[in-house]
Amino acid sequence: PPAGGVLPLLYGVVLLAVVGAGLARDPLALDTGQRLRAPSPDHPFGTDALGRDLLARVGHGALDTLLLAAAISAAALLVGVLLGLLPRVSAPLVDTVNALPPVL
């Protein structure tokens, strides 16, 4: 069966929505009066033991993870392209060495 479909796109949209909603909030703001609250309109993911908004913490953490994954993917692409071009660059040298008589 063909891979893909609507489901991966839906997951991507949900991830971008969570990251976007989380970036608008401060992940380090403490409000000890709101400790361990259940999800509500003010805090859609609830709060932690220090009263920090979990949506903000998830959004900022996901952004850092996505940026790191993009940087690693770009580095792997660059290394792969350079290693893939290496035989083409070194081919004339290899041909020259193979053409020399073994006696020399």
Side-chain angles (χ1 to χ4, degrees):
V6 178
L7 203 54
L9 294 176
L10 180 65
Y11 290 151
V13 168
V14 169
L15 177 63
L16 289 176
V18 168
V19 169
L23 289 178
R25 300 167 179 260
D26 183 15
L28 301 176
L30 297 176
D31 185 7
T32 55
Q34 296 290 323
R35 293 180 51 218
L36 300 172
R37 296 286 179 179
S40 66
D42 291 337
H43 304 287
F45 284 6
T47 60
D48 65 1
L50 295 175
R52 297 176 293 197
D53 187 21
L54 289 180
L55 175 62
R57 296 176 62 76
V58 167
H60 284 268
L63 180 66
D64 291 343
T65 301
L66 289 174
L67 291 177
L68 180 62
I72 290 172
S73 296
L77 176 67
L78 179 65
V79 168
V81 166
L82 291 177
L83 288 176
L85 290 175
L86 185 64
R88 218 176 237 292
V89 172
S90 66
L93 177 63
V94 171
D95 288 342
T96 304
V97 171
N98 284 336
L100 290 175
V103 175
L104 293 179

